[in-house]
């Protein structure tokens, strides 16, 4: 059985993948996300489940669990509070690290005030995504830990690494866009000058280049001659294309810039556009692991994907996109539930207070 390296990078648009020279050296297809922001999207990938989109947690059999049952050592590293074990992301992994610092609690008063648009704007003004970036390890540190874990594990090995520096503000320190520019783009995108628009995109492109180099470094340093390599993103990013910047999950948008992401399946004989829900059954099947009946995605080794569904949830409502790669059908901001085996699931999930501050500082919680 071959080793498997699965890398996801935050906020990578399909039409910007050429900025990643190494990743682009592989065959790149277009994948459609099942959600518009990190937690529901990555959860739905690992569990191949629409229920995971609506609950915002990994629900049901996981890719790591299937590979572990097939004899793989399973390793996961993701420096994002959205992927904490609290949300089920550690399920099936022998070793897992989300790099969350204990004691980083949110404020109940702050959460209440954030329900009001004006106060939310004031909060984001004084506490932009830069506020807690210093507490998050750089992607290269995460990659070095991944290499150490991988090389120490018994084979065959499955490694998942999520890279965060492609997420707004696109790095730390001088690499990142300034707080002032970030706030202007977030709240007043129509006021951006051409030079400011160019600066935001340049910082983003630079972050893609760094992610590309980190992926190259990861594959060069692990002690595996020819691993299966899978790459994708959790969602894309907006740069004024549809009148807004960044991905802003509270907008419940399903525009192409957010839902179309690059997909690499090197070492797996599958091609063509797909849903990201297809990745888990396809990877499992290629490794000889069981493909769970509960998974909603297709095994691309056996069939093609003719249509995809993207659900963009935020609190009590969601926008739903159905498309067959030629036509799009969108239902905006409706109440959505998912029914499976007699269970009904709403779009909200209780988030432990332990994670509130980190999620809010990234802009995921109002």
């Amino acid at each position: 059985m071959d080793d498997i390296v699965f890398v996801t990078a935050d906020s990578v648009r399909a039409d910007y993948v050429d900025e990643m020279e190494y990743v682009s050296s592989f065959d790149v297809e277009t994948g459609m996300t099942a959600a518009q922001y990190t937690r529901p999207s990555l959860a739905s990938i690992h569990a191949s489940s629409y229920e995971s989109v609506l609950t915002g947690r990994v629900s049901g059999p996981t890719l790591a669990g299937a590979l572990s049952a097939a004899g793989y050592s399973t390793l996961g590293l993701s420096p994002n509070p959205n992927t904490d074990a609290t949300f089920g992301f550690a399920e099936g992994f022998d070793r897992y690290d989300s790099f969350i610092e204990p004691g980083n609690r949110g404020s109940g008063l702050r959460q209440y005030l954030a329900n009001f648009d004006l106060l939310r704007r004031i909060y984001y003004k004084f506490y932009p995504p830069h506020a807690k970036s210093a507490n998050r390890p750089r992607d290269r540190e995460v990659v070095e830990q991944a290499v150490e874990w991988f090389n120490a594990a018994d084979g065959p090995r499955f490694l998942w690494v999520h890279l965060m520096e492609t997420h707004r503000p696109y790095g730390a320190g001088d690499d990142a866009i300034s707080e002032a520019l970030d706030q202007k783009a977030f709240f007043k995108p129509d006021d951006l000058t051409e030079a400011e628009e160019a600066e935001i995109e340049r910082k983003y492109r630079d972050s893609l280049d760094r992610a590309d180099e980190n992926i190259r470094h990861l594959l060069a340093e692990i002690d595996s001659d020819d691993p299966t390599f899978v790459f994708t993103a959790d969602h894309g990013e907006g740069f004024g294309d549809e009148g807004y910047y960044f991905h802003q999950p509270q907008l419940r948008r399903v525009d192409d810039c957010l839902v179309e992401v690059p997909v690499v399946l090197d070492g797996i004989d599958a091609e063509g556009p797909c849903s990201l829900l297809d990745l888990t059954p396809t990877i499992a099947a290629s490794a000889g692991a069981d493909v769970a009946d509960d998974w909603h995605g297709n095994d691309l080794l056996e069939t093609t994907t003719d249509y995809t569904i993207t659900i963009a949830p935020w609190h009590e409502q969601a926008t739903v996109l159905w498309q067959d790669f030629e036509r799009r059908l969108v239902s905006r901001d409706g109440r959505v539930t998912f029914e499976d085996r007699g269970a009904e699931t709403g779009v909200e999930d209780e988030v432990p207070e332990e994670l509130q501050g980190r999620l809010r500082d990234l802009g995921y919680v109002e």
Side-chain angles (χ1 to χ4, degrees), residues 2 4 72 228 267-269 280-289 291 299 301:
D2 292 337
I4 303 169
Y72 278 78
T228 296
I268 299 176
D269 188 18
T280 278
T282 302
I283 294 169
S286 73
V291 176
D299 170 8
L301 299 177

Side-chain angles (χ1 to χ4, degrees), residues 39 78-84 87 98 100 355 358-359 362 364:
R39 180 150 46 99
S78 175
N80 187 322
N82 269 306
T83 59
D84 189 67
F87 304 121
S98 63
I100 301 300
L355 297 179
R358 292 295 294 272
L359 294 170
L362 283 169
Y364 291 123

Side-chain angles (χ1 to χ4, degrees), residues 25-235:
S25 69
F26 298 92
D27 291 333
V28 181
E29 301 287 352
T30 297
M32 305 299 174
T33 70
Q36 88 286 22
Y37 75 102
T38 299
R39 180 150 46 99
S41 178
L42 289 179
S44 69
I45 291 173
H46 283 282
S48 188
S49 165
Y50 292 114
E51 182 180 353
S52 293
V53 175
L54 296 178
T55 61
R57 61 182 302 111
V58 179
S59 301
T62 66
L63 174 60
L67 292 174
S68 179
Y72 278 78
S73 297
T74 53
L75 315 165
L77 303 93
S78 175
N80 187 322
N82 269 306
T83 59
D84 189 67
T86 302
F87 304 121
F89 280 90
E91 184 68 29
F93 285 103
D94 299 320
R95 300 185 72 178
Y96 187 80
D97 196 345
S98 63
F99 304 89
I100 301 300
E101 295 183 358
N104 188 5
R105 296 183 180 274
S107 162
L109 175 62
R110 182 172 62 184
Q111 183 177 7
Y112 170 73
L113 295 177
N115 288 323
F116 303 94
D117 186 63
L118 176 60
L119 296 178
R120 178 173 62 88
R121 287 172 175 262
I122 293 173
Y123 174 76
Y124 283 156
K125 180 176 179 61
F126 288 99
Y127 295 95
H130 306 65
K132 294 292 181 75
S133 293
N135 293 331
R136 188 175 68 229
R138 299 299 298 264
D139 281 349
R140 180 52 66 95
E141 296 175 56
V142 175
V143 165
E144 295 293 6
Q145 182 170 315
V147 170
E148 180 181 340
W149 283 12
F150 188 95
N151 290 346
D154 295 330
R157 296 155 290 188
F158 168 64
L159 172 66
W160 173 52
V161 180
H162 184 64
L163 302 179
M164 268 299 291
E165 288 185 37
T166 46
H167 185 286
R168 157 188 178 236
Y170 314 130
D174 292 339
D175 292 334
I177 59 175
S178 70
E179 293 184 15
L181 183 54
D182 175 272
Q183 295 302 297
K184 187 175 182 180
F186 192 93
F187 291 116
K188 297 181 178 180
D190 292 341
D191 292 346
L192 291 171
T193 66
E194 290 185 4
E196 288 171 332
E197 292 174 349
E199 180 179 351
I200 292 171
E201 287 203 56
R202 178 175 60 81
K203 294 286 190 177
Y204 177 66
R205 293 176 191 275
D206 288 347
S207 76
L208 296 180
D209 182 65
R210 291 194 303 275
D212 191 60
E213 182 54 38
N214 280 322
I215 294 169
R216 185 199 305 267
H217 180 76
L218 172 65
L219 292 177
E221 293 300 315
I222 59 173
D223 61 358
S224 184
D225 292 334
D226 191 23
T228 296
F229 169 57
V230 179
F231 171 79
T232 194
D234 50 357
H235 53 76

Side-chain angles (χ1 to χ4, degrees), residues 323-334:
Q323 60 180 319
D324 64 359
F325 311 111
E326 293 182 359
R327 296 162 294 182
R328 291 166 52 96
L329 177 64
V330 179
S331 176
R332 298 195 182 279
D333 299 341

